[in-house]
């Protein structure tokens, strides 16, 4: 118990000084937190920040997003990648606008256990620790199971100090307690390159349709139709 308290106290003291200033940390609005978490699922924080702000300026409430056309949401999402997230976010907004927030947040389209835990913790104050890749890495390396109060601090430690391959142990507030101090790790399997990939072709076809142009890529259009990002007629959904 003493060691556990030391880990948490060292971590939280570090976080009080080094916390990242992120706009979604300034709200407990479940809609805003949902938007941020969906955007962050596959996109780096630095790219998300301006897009998150712009998205909420355009659709400041979940009712506003629910009333929007799906095609408009997909177009707004362009550049963030993995466009099915936009469709699921729009569907989730319509579900909440119609029926309210469900107790089990995983019932919402596109919301898995981690995203549900994050919304539960940061919007509804539930005593649950959202465990993403960064949190899991810190827990595995320290051997500790941190509680929900450490969530944001764990995110930042994993993102800036306890890095995947070469952690910055010399700057880590937990180093003196950590059994993994000084270790290096094999590089993780990298995602396939976007340039020249079918994902790029899909993105190009969707961008062409959004601009009112012919995509000239039948395979990409067919894949977009299967995912609900285009209608069978090759148009943006309403």
């Amino acid at each position: 118990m003493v060691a556990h308290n030391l880990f948490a106290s060292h971590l939280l003291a570090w976080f009080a000084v080094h916390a990242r200033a992120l706009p979604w940390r300034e709200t407990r609005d479940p809609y805003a937190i949902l938007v941020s978490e969906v955007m962050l699922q596959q996109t780096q924080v630095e790219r998300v920040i301006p897009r998150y702000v712009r998205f909420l300026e355009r659709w400041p409430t979940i009712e506003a997003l629910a009333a929007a056309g799906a095609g408009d949401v997909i177009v707004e999402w362009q550049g963030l990648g993995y466009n099915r997230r936009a469709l699921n976010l729009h569907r989730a907004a319509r579900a909440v606008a119609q029926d309210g927030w469900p107790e089990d947040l995983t019932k919402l389209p596109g919301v898995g256990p981690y995203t549900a835990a994050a919304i539960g913790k940061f919007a509804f104050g539930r005593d649950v620790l959202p465990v993403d890749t960064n949190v899991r890495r810190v827990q595995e390396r320290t051997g500790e199971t941190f509680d929900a109060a450490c969530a944001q601090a764990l995110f930042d430690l994993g993102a800036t100090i306890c890095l995947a391959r070469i952690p910055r142990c010399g700057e880590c507030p937990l180093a003196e307690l950590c059994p993994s101090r000084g270790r290096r790790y094999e590089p993780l399997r990298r995602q396939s390159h976007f340039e020249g990939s079918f994902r790029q072709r899909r993105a190009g076809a969707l961008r062409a349709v959004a601009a009112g142009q012919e995509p000239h890529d039948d395979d990409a259009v067919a894949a977009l139709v299967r995912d609900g990002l285009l209608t069978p007629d090759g148009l943006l959904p309403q």
Side-chain angles (χ1 to χ4, degrees), residues 24 31 34-45 47-49 51-52 55 59 65 70 72-94 108-112 114-115 191 194 199 202 206 224 227-229:
W24 45 87
Y31 165 59
L34 171 65
V35 171
S36 71
E37 290 296 337
V38 173
M39 287 186 173
L40 289 165
Q41 284 172 3
Q42 301 281 357
T43 309
Q44 294 176 336
V45 168
R47 289 177 58 204
V48 166
I49 291 173
R51 299 299 298 274
Y52 165 85
F55 195 94
W59 296 298
L65 181 60
D72 290 336
V73 180
I74 292 168
V75 171
E76 178 64 32
W77 198 269
Q78 294 296 287
L80 284 170
Y82 297 94
N83 295 293
R84 287 184 66 182
R85 292 181 295 165
L87 199 58
N88 282 331
L89 178 58
H90 184 248
R91 289 168 175 167
R94 287 190 167 175
L108 295 175
V111 174
Y114 163 76
T115 303
Q191 186 182 54
F194 180 72
R199 287 189 297 124
R202 282 168 48 104
L206 188 59
L224 293 168
D227 284 348
L229 293 166

Short mmCIF file of all heavy atoms in Angstrom, two decimals, residues 24 31 34-45 47-49 51-52 55 59 65 70 72-94 108-112 114-115 191 194 199 202 206 224 227-229:
data_model
loop_
_atom_site.label_atom_id
_atom_site.label_comp_id
_atom_site.label_asym_id
_atom_site.label_seq_id
_atom_site.Cartn_x
_atom_site.Cartn_y
_atom_site.Cartn_z
N TRP A 24 -10.21 19.66 -24.40
CA TRP A 24 -11.26 18.79 -23.86
C TRP A 24 -11.11 18.55 -22.36
O TRP A 24 -12.00 17.98 -21.74
CB TRP A 24 -11.29 17.48 -24.63
CG TRP A 24 -9.95 16.86 -24.87
CD1 TRP A 24 -9.26 16.02 -24.05
CD2 TRP A 24 -9.14 17.04 -26.03
NE1 TRP A 24 -8.06 15.68 -24.62
CE2 TRP A 24 -7.96 16.28 -25.84
CE3 TRP A 24 -9.29 17.77 -27.22
CZ2 TRP A 24 -6.94 16.24 -26.79
CZ3 TRP A 24 -8.28 17.73 -28.17
CH2 TRP A 24 -7.12 16.97 -27.95
N TYR A 31 -20.86 15.33 -24.58
CA TYR A 31 -20.79 15.43 -26.04
C TYR A 31 -19.40 15.86 -26.49
O TYR A 31 -18.80 15.24 -27.37
CB TYR A 31 -21.84 16.42 -26.54
CG TYR A 31 -21.63 16.89 -27.97
CD1 TYR A 31 -21.61 15.98 -29.03
CD2 TYR A 31 -21.43 18.24 -28.25
CE1 TYR A 31 -21.41 16.41 -30.33
CE2 TYR A 31 -21.24 18.67 -29.55
CZ TYR A 31 -21.22 17.76 -30.59
OH TYR A 31 -21.02 18.18 -31.88
N LEU A 34 -17.04 13.06 -25.96
CA LEU A 34 -17.25 12.04 -26.99
C LEU A 34 -16.54 12.43 -28.28
O LEU A 34 -15.83 11.61 -28.89
CB LEU A 34 -18.75 11.85 -27.25
CG LEU A 34 -19.12 10.97 -28.45
CD1 LEU A 34 -18.67 9.53 -28.25
CD2 LEU A 34 -20.64 11.04 -28.72
N VAL A 35 -16.71 13.67 -28.71
CA VAL A 35 -16.06 14.14 -29.94
C VAL A 35 -14.55 13.98 -29.82
O VAL A 35 -13.88 13.46 -30.73
CB VAL A 35 -16.44 15.61 -30.24
CG1 VAL A 35 -15.59 16.16 -31.39
CG2 VAL A 35 -17.92 15.72 -30.57
N SER A 36 -13.98 14.43 -28.71
CA SER A 36 -12.53 14.35 -28.55
C SER A 36 -12.05 12.91 -28.56
O SER A 36 -11.04 12.58 -29.20
CB SER A 36 -12.09 15.05 -27.26
OG SER A 36 -12.46 14.32 -26.10
N GLU A 37 -12.75 12.03 -27.86
CA GLU A 37 -12.30 10.64 -27.77
C GLU A 37 -12.39 9.93 -29.12
O GLU A 37 -11.52 9.14 -29.47
CB GLU A 37 -13.11 9.90 -26.71
CG GLU A 37 -12.80 10.32 -25.28
CD GLU A 37 -11.37 10.02 -24.87
OE1 GLU A 37 -10.73 9.13 -25.46
OE2 GLU A 37 -10.89 10.68 -23.93
N VAL A 38 -13.43 10.21 -29.88
CA VAL A 38 -13.55 9.58 -31.20
C VAL A 38 -12.44 10.10 -32.12
O VAL A 38 -11.82 9.32 -32.85
CB VAL A 38 -14.94 9.83 -31.80
CG1 VAL A 38 -15.01 9.33 -33.24
CG2 VAL A 38 -16.01 9.13 -30.96
N MET A 39 -12.18 11.38 -32.07
CA MET A 39 -11.10 11.93 -32.90
C MET A 39 -9.74 11.35 -32.51
O MET A 39 -8.90 11.07 -33.37
CB MET A 39 -11.06 13.46 -32.78
CG MET A 39 -12.19 14.17 -33.50
SD MET A 39 -11.97 15.97 -33.44
CE MET A 39 -13.30 16.49 -34.55
N LEU A 40 -9.53 11.15 -31.23
CA LEU A 40 -8.24 10.68 -30.74
C LEU A 40 -8.02 9.19 -30.95
O LEU A 40 -6.90 8.69 -30.75
CB LEU A 40 -8.11 11.00 -29.24
CG LEU A 40 -7.93 12.48 -28.89
CD1 LEU A 40 -8.20 12.71 -27.41
CD2 LEU A 40 -6.53 12.95 -29.26
N GLN A 41 -9.04 8.47 -31.37
CA GLN A 41 -8.91 7.02 -31.54
C GLN A 41 -7.81 6.65 -32.53
O GLN A 41 -7.13 5.66 -32.35
CB GLN A 41 -10.24 6.41 -31.99
CG GLN A 41 -11.27 6.29 -30.89
CD GLN A 41 -12.63 5.86 -31.43
OE1 GLN A 41 -12.79 5.59 -32.62
NE2 GLN A 41 -13.63 5.81 -30.55
N GLN A 42 -7.64 7.40 -33.58
CA GLN A 42 -6.67 7.06 -34.61
C GLN A 42 -5.83 8.23 -35.07
O GLN A 42 -5.11 8.13 -36.06
CB GLN A 42 -7.39 6.48 -35.84
CG GLN A 42 -8.22 5.23 -35.58
CD GLN A 42 -7.36 3.98 -35.50
OE1 GLN A 42 -6.15 4.03 -35.71
NE2 GLN A 42 -7.97 2.86 -35.17
N THR A 43 -5.89 9.35 -34.35
CA THR A 43 -5.25 10.57 -34.83
C THR A 43 -4.45 11.21 -33.70
O THR A 43 -4.90 11.23 -32.55
CB THR A 43 -6.31 11.57 -35.34
OG1 THR A 43 -7.17 10.91 -36.28
CG2 THR A 43 -5.66 12.76 -36.03
N GLN A 44 -3.28 11.75 -34.02
CA GLN A 44 -2.41 12.34 -33.02
C GLN A 44 -3.03 13.59 -32.40
O GLN A 44 -3.74 14.34 -33.05
CB GLN A 44 -1.06 12.68 -33.64
CG GLN A 44 -0.27 11.46 -34.08
CD GLN A 44 1.03 11.85 -34.77
OE1 GLN A 44 1.16 12.95 -35.31
NE2 GLN A 44 1.99 10.95 -34.76
N VAL A 45 -2.68 13.81 -31.13
CA VAL A 45 -3.25 14.91 -30.35
C VAL A 45 -3.07 16.25 -31.06
O VAL A 45 -4.01 17.05 -31.15
CB VAL A 45 -2.61 14.95 -28.94
CG1 VAL A 45 -2.98 16.25 -28.22
CG2 VAL A 45 -3.06 13.76 -28.12
N ARG A 47 -2.83 17.03 -34.13
CA ARG A 47 -3.72 17.20 -35.28
C ARG A 47 -5.16 17.34 -34.84
O ARG A 47 -5.96 17.99 -35.50
CB ARG A 47 -3.58 16.01 -36.23
CG ARG A 47 -2.27 15.96 -37.00
CD ARG A 47 -2.20 14.72 -37.86
NE ARG A 47 -3.31 14.64 -38.80
CZ ARG A 47 -3.78 13.52 -39.33
NH1 ARG A 47 -3.24 12.35 -38.99
NH2 ARG A 47 -4.78 13.54 -40.19
N VAL A 48 -5.50 16.73 -33.72
CA VAL A 48 -6.89 16.75 -33.26
C VAL A 48 -7.29 18.11 -32.71
O VAL A 48 -8.41 18.58 -32.96
CB VAL A 48 -7.12 15.65 -32.19
CG1 VAL A 48 -8.45 15.88 -31.46
CG2 VAL A 48 -7.11 14.27 -32.83
N ILE A 49 -6.40 18.79 -32.00
CA ILE A 49 -6.78 20.01 -31.28
C ILE A 49 -7.51 21.02 -32.17
O ILE A 49 -8.64 21.42 -31.84
CB ILE A 49 -5.55 20.65 -30.60
CG1 ILE A 49 -5.07 19.76 -29.45
CG2 ILE A 49 -5.90 22.04 -30.06
CD1 ILE A 49 -3.75 20.21 -28.82
N ARG A 51 -8.96 20.65 -35.05
CA ARG A 51 -10.15 20.07 -35.66
C ARG A 51 -11.26 19.90 -34.62
O ARG A 51 -12.45 20.06 -34.94
CB ARG A 51 -9.81 18.74 -36.31
CG ARG A 51 -8.77 18.85 -37.41
CD ARG A 51 -9.26 19.76 -38.55
NE ARG A 51 -10.43 19.22 -39.16
CZ ARG A 51 -10.43 18.32 -40.16
NH1 ARG A 51 -9.28 17.89 -40.65
NH2 ARG A 51 -11.56 17.88 -40.67
N TYR A 52 -10.92 19.57 -33.41
CA TYR A 52 -11.89 19.47 -32.31
C TYR A 52 -12.54 20.83 -32.08
O TYR A 52 -13.78 20.94 -31.96
CB TYR A 52 -11.16 18.98 -31.06
CG TYR A 52 -11.90 19.17 -29.76
CD1 TYR A 52 -12.83 18.22 -29.32
CD2 TYR A 52 -11.66 20.27 -28.95
CE1 TYR A 52 -13.50 18.38 -28.11
CE2 TYR A 52 -12.31 20.44 -27.74
CZ TYR A 52 -13.23 19.50 -27.33
OH TYR A 52 -13.89 19.65 -26.13
N PHE A 55 -14.81 21.67 -35.02
CA PHE A 55 -16.00 20.82 -35.04
C PHE A 55 -17.04 21.34 -34.05
O PHE A 55 -18.23 21.43 -34.36
CB PHE A 55 -15.59 19.38 -34.68
CG PHE A 55 -16.60 18.34 -35.01
CD1 PHE A 55 -16.56 17.64 -36.21
CD2 PHE A 55 -17.60 18.01 -34.10
CE1 PHE A 55 -17.49 16.66 -36.51
CE2 PHE A 55 -18.54 17.03 -34.39
CZ PHE A 55 -18.48 16.35 -35.60
N TRP A 59 -20.81 22.57 -34.67
CA TRP A 59 -21.91 21.84 -34.02
C TRP A 59 -21.67 21.84 -32.51
O TRP A 59 -21.10 20.90 -31.95
CB TRP A 59 -21.98 20.41 -34.55
CG TRP A 59 -22.30 20.34 -36.01
CD1 TRP A 59 -23.44 20.78 -36.63
CD2 TRP A 59 -21.48 19.80 -37.06
NE1 TRP A 59 -23.38 20.56 -37.99
CE2 TRP A 59 -22.18 19.95 -38.29
CE3 TRP A 59 -20.21 19.20 -37.09
CZ2 TRP A 59 -21.67 19.53 -39.51
CZ3 TRP A 59 -19.69 18.78 -38.31
CH2 TRP A 59 -20.42 18.94 -39.50
N LEU A 65 -25.43 18.44 -33.85
CA LEU A 65 -24.79 17.42 -34.69
C LEU A 65 -25.83 16.43 -35.20
O LEU A 65 -25.79 16.02 -36.36
CB LEU A 65 -23.70 16.69 -33.90
CG LEU A 65 -22.94 15.62 -34.68
CD1 LEU A 65 -22.24 16.22 -35.89
CD2 LEU A 65 -21.94 14.90 -33.79
N ALA A 70 -25.47 13.56 -42.53
CA ALA A 70 -24.29 12.71 -42.37
C ALA A 70 -23.19 13.11 -43.35
O ALA A 70 -22.00 13.10 -43.02
CB ALA A 70 -24.67 11.25 -42.57
N ASP A 72 -22.48 16.07 -44.48
CA ASP A 72 -21.77 17.26 -43.99
C ASP A 72 -20.74 16.89 -42.93
O ASP A 72 -19.65 17.46 -42.88
CB ASP A 72 -22.77 18.27 -43.41
CG ASP A 72 -23.63 18.92 -44.48
OD1 ASP A 72 -23.19 18.95 -45.65
OD2 ASP A 72 -24.73 19.39 -44.15
N VAL A 73 -21.09 15.95 -42.08
CA VAL A 73 -20.18 15.51 -41.01
C VAL A 73 -18.98 14.80 -41.62
O VAL A 73 -17.83 15.00 -41.21
CB VAL A 73 -20.90 14.61 -40.01
CG1 VAL A 73 -19.96 14.16 -38.90
CG2 VAL A 73 -22.11 15.34 -39.40
N ILE A 74 -19.23 13.97 -42.62
CA ILE A 74 -18.14 13.25 -43.29
C ILE A 74 -17.18 14.23 -43.95
O ILE A 74 -15.96 14.09 -43.88
CB ILE A 74 -18.71 12.25 -44.30
CG1 ILE A 74 -19.44 11.11 -43.57
CG2 ILE A 74 -17.60 11.68 -45.19
CD1 ILE A 74 -20.28 10.24 -44.48
N VAL A 75 -17.74 15.25 -44.61
CA VAL A 75 -16.89 16.26 -45.27
C VAL A 75 -16.06 17.01 -44.23
O VAL A 75 -14.86 17.26 -44.43
CB VAL A 75 -17.75 17.23 -46.10
CG1 VAL A 75 -16.91 18.40 -46.61
CG2 VAL A 75 -18.38 16.50 -47.27
N GLU A 76 -16.68 17.38 -43.14
CA GLU A 76 -15.95 18.09 -42.08
C GLU A 76 -14.81 17.25 -41.51
O GLU A 76 -13.78 17.76 -41.10
CB GLU A 76 -16.92 18.49 -40.95
CG GLU A 76 -16.27 19.19 -39.76
CD GLU A 76 -15.66 20.53 -40.12
OE1 GLU A 76 -16.20 21.22 -41.03
OE2 GLU A 76 -14.63 20.90 -39.51
N TRP A 77 -14.99 15.95 -41.53
CA TRP A 77 -14.01 15.01 -40.97
C TRP A 77 -12.79 14.83 -41.88
O TRP A 77 -11.76 14.33 -41.43
CB TRP A 77 -14.69 13.66 -40.75
CG TRP A 77 -13.96 12.76 -39.79
CD1 TRP A 77 -13.01 11.83 -40.09
CD2 TRP A 77 -14.14 12.69 -38.38
NE1 TRP A 77 -12.59 11.17 -38.96
CE2 TRP A 77 -13.27 11.69 -37.89
CE3 TRP A 77 -14.96 13.37 -37.48
CZ2 TRP A 77 -13.20 11.35 -36.53
CZ3 TRP A 77 -14.89 13.04 -36.13
CH2 TRP A 77 -14.02 12.05 -35.67
N GLN A 78 -12.90 15.24 -43.12
CA GLN A 78 -11.82 15.00 -44.08
C GLN A 78 -10.48 15.48 -43.53
O GLN A 78 -10.37 16.58 -43.00
CB GLN A 78 -12.11 15.71 -45.40
CG GLN A 78 -13.30 15.16 -46.15
CD GLN A 78 -13.07 13.72 -46.58
OE1 GLN A 78 -12.31 13.44 -47.50
NE2 GLN A 78 -13.74 12.80 -45.93
N GLY A 79 -9.46 14.64 -43.68
CA GLY A 79 -8.13 14.98 -43.18
C GLY A 79 -7.79 14.31 -41.87
O GLY A 79 -6.62 14.18 -41.52
N LEU A 80 -8.81 13.87 -41.12
CA LEU A 80 -8.55 13.17 -39.87
C LEU A 80 -8.34 11.68 -40.09
O LEU A 80 -7.79 10.99 -39.24
CB LEU A 80 -9.73 13.38 -38.89
CG LEU A 80 -9.80 14.75 -38.22
CD1 LEU A 80 -11.13 14.90 -37.49
CD2 LEU A 80 -8.64 14.96 -37.26
N GLY A 81 -8.81 11.18 -41.24
CA GLY A 81 -8.64 9.77 -41.54
C GLY A 81 -9.70 8.90 -40.89
O GLY A 81 -10.43 9.33 -39.99
N TYR A 82 -9.76 7.64 -41.34
CA TYR A 82 -10.70 6.65 -40.79
C TYR A 82 -12.10 7.26 -40.68
O TYR A 82 -12.65 7.45 -39.60
CB TYR A 82 -10.21 6.12 -39.45
CG TYR A 82 -8.90 5.39 -39.57
CD1 TYR A 82 -7.69 6.06 -39.36
CD2 TYR A 82 -8.86 4.05 -39.93
CE1 TYR A 82 -6.48 5.39 -39.51
CE2 TYR A 82 -7.65 3.37 -40.07
CZ TYR A 82 -6.47 4.06 -39.87
OH TYR A 82 -5.28 3.40 -40.01
N ASN A 83 -12.67 7.56 -41.85
CA ASN A 83 -13.89 8.35 -41.92
C ASN A 83 -15.12 7.66 -41.34
O ASN A 83 -16.12 8.32 -41.07
CB ASN A 83 -14.15 8.73 -43.39
CG ASN A 83 -13.08 9.66 -43.93
OD1 ASN A 83 -12.95 10.79 -43.49
ND2 ASN A 83 -12.28 9.16 -44.86
N ARG A 84 -15.05 6.36 -41.13
CA ARG A 84 -16.19 5.69 -40.50
C ARG A 84 -16.42 6.23 -39.09
O ARG A 84 -17.53 6.15 -38.57
CB ARG A 84 -15.95 4.18 -40.45
CG ARG A 84 -16.08 3.50 -41.80
CD ARG A 84 -15.95 2.00 -41.69
NE ARG A 84 -17.05 1.42 -40.95
CZ ARG A 84 -17.15 0.12 -40.67
NH1 ARG A 84 -16.20 -0.72 -41.07
NH2 ARG A 84 -18.18 -0.35 -40.02
N ARG A 85 -15.38 6.78 -38.49
CA ARG A 85 -15.55 7.38 -37.16
C ARG A 85 -16.56 8.52 -37.22
O ARG A 85 -17.36 8.71 -36.30
CB ARG A 85 -14.22 7.90 -36.63
CG ARG A 85 -13.22 6.80 -36.29
CD ARG A 85 -11.93 7.40 -35.74
NE ARG A 85 -11.24 8.21 -36.73
CZ ARG A 85 -10.26 9.07 -36.43
NH1 ARG A 85 -9.89 9.24 -35.18
NH2 ARG A 85 -9.65 9.74 -37.39
N ALA A 86 -16.52 9.30 -38.31
CA ALA A 86 -17.45 10.42 -38.46
C ALA A 86 -18.88 9.91 -38.54
O ALA A 86 -19.80 10.46 -37.92
CB ALA A 86 -17.11 11.22 -39.71
N LEU A 87 -19.07 8.83 -39.29
CA LEU A 87 -20.40 8.26 -39.45
C LEU A 87 -20.91 7.72 -38.12
O LEU A 87 -22.07 7.96 -37.74
CB LEU A 87 -20.36 7.15 -40.50
CG LEU A 87 -21.67 6.72 -41.13
CD1 LEU A 87 -22.38 7.89 -41.80
CD2 LEU A 87 -21.42 5.59 -42.14
N ASN A 88 -20.06 7.02 -37.38
CA ASN A 88 -20.46 6.50 -36.09
C ASN A 88 -20.74 7.61 -35.09
O ASN A 88 -21.68 7.52 -34.29
CB ASN A 88 -19.39 5.55 -35.54
CG ASN A 88 -19.44 4.19 -36.19
OD1 ASN A 88 -20.50 3.72 -36.62
ND2 ASN A 88 -18.29 3.53 -36.28
N LEU A 89 -19.93 8.66 -35.12
CA LEU A 89 -20.17 9.80 -34.23
C LEU A 89 -21.51 10.44 -34.52
O LEU A 89 -22.27 10.78 -33.59
CB LEU A 89 -19.04 10.82 -34.39
CG LEU A 89 -19.14 12.09 -33.55
CD1 LEU A 89 -19.21 11.77 -32.07
CD2 LEU A 89 -17.94 13.01 -33.85
N HIS A 90 -21.84 10.58 -35.79
CA HIS A 90 -23.13 11.16 -36.16
C HIS A 90 -24.28 10.26 -35.72
O HIS A 90 -25.29 10.73 -35.19
CB HIS A 90 -23.15 11.36 -37.68
CG HIS A 90 -24.38 12.05 -38.17
ND1 HIS A 90 -25.33 11.42 -38.96
CD2 HIS A 90 -24.83 13.32 -37.99
CE1 HIS A 90 -26.30 12.27 -39.24
NE2 HIS A 90 -26.03 13.42 -38.68
N ARG A 91 -24.12 8.96 -35.89
CA ARG A 91 -25.15 8.02 -35.46
C ARG A 91 -25.31 8.04 -33.95
O ARG A 91 -26.43 7.98 -33.42
CB ARG A 91 -24.80 6.61 -35.93
CG ARG A 91 -24.94 6.41 -37.43
CD ARG A 91 -24.31 5.10 -37.88
NE ARG A 91 -24.53 4.84 -39.30
CZ ARG A 91 -23.89 3.91 -40.00
NH1 ARG A 91 -22.97 3.14 -39.40
NH2 ARG A 91 -24.14 3.74 -41.29
N ALA A 92 -24.19 8.15 -33.22
CA ALA A 92 -24.26 8.23 -31.77
C ALA A 92 -24.99 9.49 -31.33
O ALA A 92 -25.81 9.47 -30.40
CB ALA A 92 -22.85 8.19 -31.18
N ALA A 93 -24.71 10.61 -32.02
CA ALA A 93 -25.38 11.87 -31.68
C ALA A 93 -26.89 11.75 -31.88
O ALA A 93 -27.68 12.21 -31.04
CB ALA A 93 -24.82 13.00 -32.54
N ARG A 94 -27.30 11.11 -32.96
CA ARG A 94 -28.75 10.95 -33.20
C ARG A 94 -29.38 10.02 -32.15
O ARG A 94 -30.51 10.27 -31.71
CB ARG A 94 -28.97 10.42 -34.62
CG ARG A 94 -28.72 11.49 -35.66
CD ARG A 94 -29.15 11.11 -37.06
NE ARG A 94 -29.16 12.29 -37.93
CZ ARG A 94 -29.42 12.28 -39.22
NH1 ARG A 94 -29.69 11.13 -39.84
NH2 ARG A 94 -29.41 13.39 -39.93
N LEU A 108 -23.72 2.88 -27.76
CA LEU A 108 -23.65 3.91 -28.79
C LEU A 108 -22.76 3.45 -29.93
O LEU A 108 -21.72 2.81 -29.70
CB LEU A 108 -23.11 5.21 -28.19
CG LEU A 108 -23.98 5.89 -27.13
CD1 LEU A 108 -23.25 7.09 -26.55
CD2 LEU A 108 -25.31 6.32 -27.73
N PRO A 109 -23.11 3.77 -31.17
CA PRO A 109 -22.27 3.38 -32.32
C PRO A 109 -20.85 3.91 -32.18
O PRO A 109 -20.63 5.08 -31.85
CB PRO A 109 -22.99 4.04 -33.51
CG PRO A 109 -24.41 4.18 -33.06
CD PRO A 109 -24.35 4.47 -31.59
N GLY A 110 -19.88 3.04 -32.41
CA GLY A 110 -18.48 3.44 -32.39
C GLY A 110 -17.86 3.62 -31.02
O GLY A 110 -16.71 4.03 -30.92
N VAL A 111 -18.61 3.31 -29.97
CA VAL A 111 -18.10 3.48 -28.62
C VAL A 111 -17.77 2.11 -28.02
O VAL A 111 -18.66 1.31 -27.74
CB VAL A 111 -19.11 4.22 -27.71
CG1 VAL A 111 -18.61 4.27 -26.26
CG2 VAL A 111 -19.34 5.63 -28.24
N GLY A 112 -16.48 1.84 -27.87
CA GLY A 112 -16.03 0.60 -27.26
C GLY A 112 -15.76 0.78 -25.78
O GLY A 112 -16.02 1.85 -25.21
N TYR A 114 -13.01 1.26 -23.98
CA TYR A 114 -12.14 2.36 -23.56
C TYR A 114 -12.86 3.71 -23.67
O TYR A 114 -12.85 4.52 -22.74
CB TYR A 114 -10.85 2.42 -24.38
CG TYR A 114 -10.20 3.78 -24.20
CD1 TYR A 114 -9.52 4.08 -23.03
CD2 TYR A 114 -10.37 4.79 -25.16
CE1 TYR A 114 -9.00 5.35 -22.82
CE2 TYR A 114 -9.86 6.06 -24.95
CZ TYR A 114 -9.17 6.33 -23.78
OH TYR A 114 -8.69 7.59 -23.56
N THR A 115 -13.48 3.98 -24.83
CA THR A 115 -14.17 5.26 -25.02
C THR A 115 -15.30 5.42 -24.01
O THR A 115 -15.51 6.52 -23.47
CB THR A 115 -14.70 5.37 -26.46
OG1 THR A 115 -13.61 5.22 -27.37
CG2 THR A 115 -15.38 6.71 -26.70
N GLN A 191 2.03 0.79 -38.62
CA GLN A 191 0.90 0.75 -39.53
C GLN A 191 1.40 0.85 -40.97
O GLN A 191 2.42 1.48 -41.23
CB GLN A 191 -0.04 1.91 -39.21
CG GLN A 191 -1.33 1.90 -39.99
CD GLN A 191 -2.16 3.11 -39.64
OE1 GLN A 191 -1.71 4.24 -39.72
NE2 GLN A 191 -3.38 2.87 -39.25
N PHE A 194 0.37 5.03 -45.72
CA PHE A 194 -0.84 5.57 -46.34
C PHE A 194 -0.60 5.85 -47.82
O PHE A 194 -1.46 5.57 -48.65
CB PHE A 194 -1.25 6.85 -45.61
CG PHE A 194 -2.48 7.49 -46.15
CD1 PHE A 194 -3.73 6.93 -45.95
CD2 PHE A 194 -2.40 8.67 -46.89
CE1 PHE A 194 -4.88 7.53 -46.47
CE2 PHE A 194 -3.53 9.27 -47.41
CZ PHE A 194 -4.77 8.69 -47.19
N ARG A 199 -6.33 2.72 -48.67
CA ARG A 199 -6.89 3.76 -47.80
C ARG A 199 -6.77 5.12 -48.47
O ARG A 199 -7.69 5.95 -48.39
CB ARG A 199 -6.19 3.78 -46.45
CG ARG A 199 -6.55 2.62 -45.54
CD ARG A 199 -6.00 2.81 -44.14
NE ARG A 199 -4.55 2.85 -44.11
CZ ARG A 199 -3.84 3.83 -43.60
NH1 ARG A 199 -4.42 4.89 -43.08
NH2 ARG A 199 -2.51 3.77 -43.61
N ARG A 202 -9.39 5.34 -51.21
CA ARG A 202 -10.71 5.60 -50.62
C ARG A 202 -10.85 7.07 -50.25
O ARG A 202 -11.87 7.70 -50.51
CB ARG A 202 -10.91 4.72 -49.39
CG ARG A 202 -11.27 3.28 -49.68
CD ARG A 202 -11.15 2.45 -48.41
NE ARG A 202 -11.81 3.07 -47.28
CZ ARG A 202 -12.99 2.67 -46.79
NH1 ARG A 202 -13.62 1.65 -47.34
NH2 ARG A 202 -13.52 3.26 -45.75
N LEU A 206 -13.54 9.74 -51.80
CA LEU A 206 -14.48 10.45 -50.95
C LEU A 206 -14.29 11.96 -51.09
O LEU A 206 -15.27 12.72 -51.16
CB LEU A 206 -14.28 10.03 -49.49
CG LEU A 206 -15.31 10.54 -48.49
CD1 LEU A 206 -16.72 10.08 -48.87
CD2 LEU A 206 -14.96 10.06 -47.09
N LEU A 224 -16.46 2.38 -50.14
CA LEU A 224 -17.11 3.46 -49.40
C LEU A 224 -18.60 3.22 -49.25
O LEU A 224 -19.19 3.51 -48.20
CB LEU A 224 -16.85 4.80 -50.10
CG LEU A 224 -15.40 5.28 -50.08
CD1 LEU A 224 -15.23 6.46 -51.05
CD2 LEU A 224 -14.97 5.69 -48.68
N ASP A 227 -19.22 0.68 -46.54
CA ASP A 227 -19.04 1.24 -45.20
C ASP A 227 -20.09 2.29 -44.84
O ASP A 227 -20.05 2.84 -43.73
CB ASP A 227 -17.65 1.87 -45.07
CG ASP A 227 -16.57 0.81 -44.93
OD1 ASP A 227 -16.90 -0.37 -44.70
OD2 ASP A 227 -15.37 1.16 -45.05
N GLY A 228 -20.99 2.60 -45.76
CA GLY A 228 -22.02 3.59 -45.48
C GLY A 228 -21.57 5.02 -45.65
O GLY A 228 -22.30 5.95 -45.31
N LEU A 229 -20.35 5.22 -46.17
CA LEU A 229 -19.84 6.56 -46.36
C LEU A 229 -20.35 7.20 -47.64
O LEU A 229 -20.27 8.42 -47.82
CB LEU A 229 -18.31 6.55 -46.35
CG LEU A 229 -17.69 6.18 -45.00
CD1 LEU A 229 -16.22 5.84 -45.15
CD2 LEU A 229 -17.87 7.31 -44.00
#
